[in-house]
Amino acid sequence: MTEASRHPLIIGSGIAGLYVALRCRELGLRPTIVTKARLEESNTRYAQGGIAAAIGPDDSPKQHLEDTVRAGDELVDRSAARVLTSEAPARIADLVRYGVPFDTVEGRISLGREAAHSRSRTLHAGGDATGYSIEETLKRRVLDAGIDARERTVLRALQPGSRDGPVAVLSDADGKNLEYSTPAPVVLATGGAGSLYRHSSNPAVATGEGVAIAFRAGALLTDMEFIQFHPTAFYREGAPRFLITEALRGEGAVLRNDAGDRFMVGIHRDAELAPRDIVARAIERQIVTTGHPCVYLDATGLPRDLLYARFPSVCHFLATYGLDPSRDQVPVAPVAHYMIGGVTTDLEGRSSLHGLYAAGEVASTGVHGANRLAGNSLLEGLVFGERVARQLLHPASGGPKPPSRILEVPLAGGTGVAEEPGELESVRNALWDDVGIVRSAEGLRSAVELFERRAKWSPAGRPDAFPGPVANAALTALLIARAAAYRTESRGAHFRSDYPQRRAQWRVHIGLRQPTGPARAGTVHR
Ligand code: SIN
């Protein structure tokens, strides 16, 4: 092991980034972690429902595996899901060791129920403040361990380095003062892209630049068409789209339309606890057919004490809008929530580029298939984060096997025009309108055209010689739209109104990469 390889650079500070940094330190490495905002600002912080693990007396990793596979609509990579579910209890033990204050009942960790789980297996902390508790605990540990942690530092590009790994080009948050890292292993833990959608449960930092930068550097991506929409975020004109956790439905809250009818009962045998994509689409259908902008979560059948003890953040948020869920119907509508695809990795977190690793939401192991099970996202950050840390200690050659279908997407050349921040809005609107819950060839075509134009960037010899936020956002959006246009069927989180059925020939993952030969738009290798 060279000296440089003992100094991995970790980009991002959600559960995956913080956990990899901590484990690297414990294993004797000297990681640096950089993050574009504050250390604690990430999607993890806002996770409410919790983290799934088969630790209950009536449960087993095998059962968790089967639920994960079933939710993923025939596309789950079984070996990845086996790793996820079998290593979950050990990773939960790590969180307990670090001091995450999971909620307990009579001395035992208490387990909640979420959609498409056959058992109660969701650990939570502070009621619905699970992500906050995990993020704060890991952050404190990182700082206590003296890990070099740099805030307001942005990844701008990845360049070829040495056998130790790539060179990361970093800048300050304003895009100025470029800095080139020493070649060393780089771990992408940059999270998802939810906030690229007009309506999202994600914080503003979730802009998906990790996938754009990895793609520009030549990495293979997979499953980018699968964006998960969460069925129930608070709906009120002008109000933030605050997540109203699925765990509320797990406790017995039901969905009603404007007329007061429980519409999920006739749609799926698990009604409100059907897989997320089914509930999100059913709500979207209600909105379109009734013309009413939302449906209602009815938790009035639940005891007030339970609601306020188990869901303090939700109750507190609703109170600021004059609502009490024990008394009032809560207006909700779907939002973009989670990026299922991302940088293709093997089970050790190795990407297709030497020395580049990925863990958490930015990575694509195939573990979620076409639709992620609730609680498996925080878990994946830990399980595959642990594997990345061990790989960094004992690097071995290897990498992901490319999927059988690869879509080649050439990069658009520069325009010489500097980016206008307002252009981001057009990307967000087009993603929501044309690459959202229901998609069609026509909408995807117009979205692709827009994203191709916006993905160009200024090539001038200044800091903006590297693509800025709009160009990266547009490239991530383009990759989602291209994959969605290519998959002419409906499966899991990907629904096409022009191809509403699942089709056997599409029981495959779609990879995306830059053309290997001379650029040919839309080249497809089967
Ligand atoms: C929720 O609390 O409803 C979201 C949980 C998740 O996405 O895993």
Side-chain angles (χ1 to χ4, degrees):
M1 189 174 210
T2 65
E3 185 49 29
S5 68
R6 300 186 65 80
H7 294 263
L9 178 64
I10 299 160
I11 319 278
S13 60
I15 190 170
L18 294 176
Y19 182 81
V20 172
L22 271 173
R23 289 294 293 132
C24 281
R25 194 77 198 87
E26 289 178 340
L27 295 171
L29 303 174
R30 306 220 40 109
T32 295
I33 182 164
V34 302
T35 188
K36 66 183 182 183
R38 301 286 306 279
L39 210 49
E40 64 272 22
E41 184 61 357
S42 75
N43 237 334
T44 297
R45 186 180 184 80
Y46 301 93
Q48 293 178 11
I51 180 164
I55 61 166
D58 64 339
D59 203 358
S60 68
K62 170 110 179 44
Q63 196 57 51
H64 187 183
L65 168 69
E66 294 312 328
D67 290 348
T68 300
V69 168
R70 196 172 331 105
D73 212 356
E74 299 184 338
L75 270 196
V76 168
D77 178 313
R78 226 183 148 85
S79 49
R82 191 171 295 112
V83 163
L84 182 83
T85 51
S86 63
E87 296 180 11
R91 298 292 75 80
I92 294 297
D94 286 343
L95 288 188
V96 171
R97 174 167 64 86
Y98 288 140
V100 174
F102 287 117
D103 296 333
T104 55
V105 183
E106 293 169 1
R108 301 182 79 140
I109 288 181
S110 115
L111 298 170
R113 184 78 176 257
E114 288 192 274
H117 285 276
S118 61
R119 301 281 188 280
S120 293
R121 63 165 72 97
T122 306
L123 293 84
H124 44 89
D128 56 4
T130 314
Y132 177 86
S133 300
I134 292 174
E135 185 75 15
E136 284 296 314
T137 305
L138 295 184
K139 176 186 125 181
R140 204 169 48 246
R141 287 283 179 164
V142 162
L143 296 177
D144 289 352
I147 292 170
D148 181 16
R150 297 174 52 191
E151 298 184 320
R152 293 182 54 78
T153 304
V154 179
L155 177 68
R156 302 295 303 275
L158 291 166
Q159 295 183 337
S162 69
R163 68 193 176 95
D164 291 316
V167 167
V169 184
L170 304 169
S171 76
D172 59 25
D174 302 325
K176 302 199 178 77
N177 300 317
L178 286 185
E179 184 190 330
Y180 293 75
S181 74
T182 314
V186 171
V187 181
L188 282 179
T190 47
S195 82
L196 292 186
Y197 278 80
R198 182 165 76 230
H199 301 300
S200 165
S201 62
N202 292 192
V205 291
T207 50
E209 73 277 9
V211 285
I213 290 169
F215 185 82
R216 289 191 204 278
L220 176 69
L221 310 182
T222 326
D223 288 343
M224 287 298 291
E225 66 275 33
F226 296 116
I227 298 291
Q228 186 173 63
F229 294 87
H230 195 289
T232 56
F234 182 66
Y235 178 83
R236 183 172 288 184
E237 197 65 43
R241 304 304 302 276
F242 189 84
L243 193 75
I244 308 293
T245 177
E246 192 166 275
L248 260 159
R249 281 176 277 134
E251 291 288 349
V254 298
L255 287 165
R256 299 189 187 280
N257 60 16
D258 192 28
D261 298 329
R262 268 189 76 189
F263 56 90
M264 280 310 301
V265 173
I267 292 177
H268 194 278
R269 67 169 193 279
D270 294 332
E272 284 82 2
L273 290 180
R276 237 173 231 185
D277 61 299
I278 293 172
V279 183
R281 272 197 303 280
I283 295 176
E284 180 67 10
R285 231 176 354 260
Q286 288 291 327
I287 290 171
V288 170
T289 52
T290 63
H292 192 73
C294 61
V295 297
Y296 295 88
L297 189 70
D298 178 358
T300 56
L302 303 181
R304 191 169 194 279
D305 291 355
L306 176 130
L307 282 169
Y308 280 77
R310 177 73 178 83
F311 305 104
S313 317
V314 169
C315 292
H316 177 77
F317 173 85
L318 293 175
T320 61
Y321 288 89
L323 296 173
D324 172 352
S326 70
R327 204 187 53 209
D328 301 312
Q329 306 282 310
V330 178
V332 291
V335 287
H337 184 58
Y338 181 84
M339 180 175 78
I340 289 174
V343 177
T344 319
T345 66
D346 66 5
L347 299 185
E348 316 307 323
R350 290 176 292 216
S351 78
S352 62
L353 298 184
H354 176 73
L356 180 68
Y357 301 79
E361 190 170 348
V362 70
S364 174
T365 55
V367 74
H368 306 304
N371 189 25
R372 177 179 67 84
L373 199 57
N376 274 356
S377 56
L378 293 175
L379 181 60
E380 95 178 297
L382 294 178
V383 167
F384 294 102
E386 171 72 15
R387 288 174 157 247
V388 167
R390 290 188 192 185
Q391 192 56 220
L392 290 168
L393 182 67
H394 297 298
S397 57
K401 213 167 85 215
S404 55
R405 300 229 189 167
I406 304 265
L407 183 58
E408 293 190 342
V409 181
L411 282 178
T415 58
V417 178
E419 323 194 309
E420 296 293 333
E423 291 172 19
L424 206 49
E425 283 314 297
S426 61
V427 172
R428 297 180 74 228
N429 289 335
L431 264 178
W432 181 260
D433 292 337
D434 294 326
V435 200
I437 299 172
V438 178
R439 304 154 172 191
S440 71
E442 198 187 335
L444 290 167
R445 204 174 308 116
S446 91
V448 163
E449 278 170 22
L450 175 86
F451 301 150
E452 278 178 343
R453 279 200 306 280
R454 295 278 187 266
K456 297 175 180 176
W457 72 95
S458 167
R462 306 184 308 274
D464 61 4
F466 295 102
V470 175
N472 281 338
L475 177 56
T476 301
L478 174 65
L479 297 166
I480 297 169
R482 287 295 307 273
Y486 184 41
R487 184 176 286 280
T488 49
E489 66 154 358
S490 292
R491 182 185 295 273
H494 169 73
F495 187 84
R496 297 266 311 240
S497 56
D498 45 356
Y499 295 95
Q501 305 301 332
R502 194 165 62 191
R503 300 167 80 196
Q505 69 265 40
W506 281 111
R507 196 177 169 181
V508 289
H509 296 275
I510 299 173
L512 297 113
R513 70 169 174 227
Q514 291 187 52
T516 44
R520 284 166 293 147
T523 304
V524 169
H525 291 269
R526 285 160 203 267

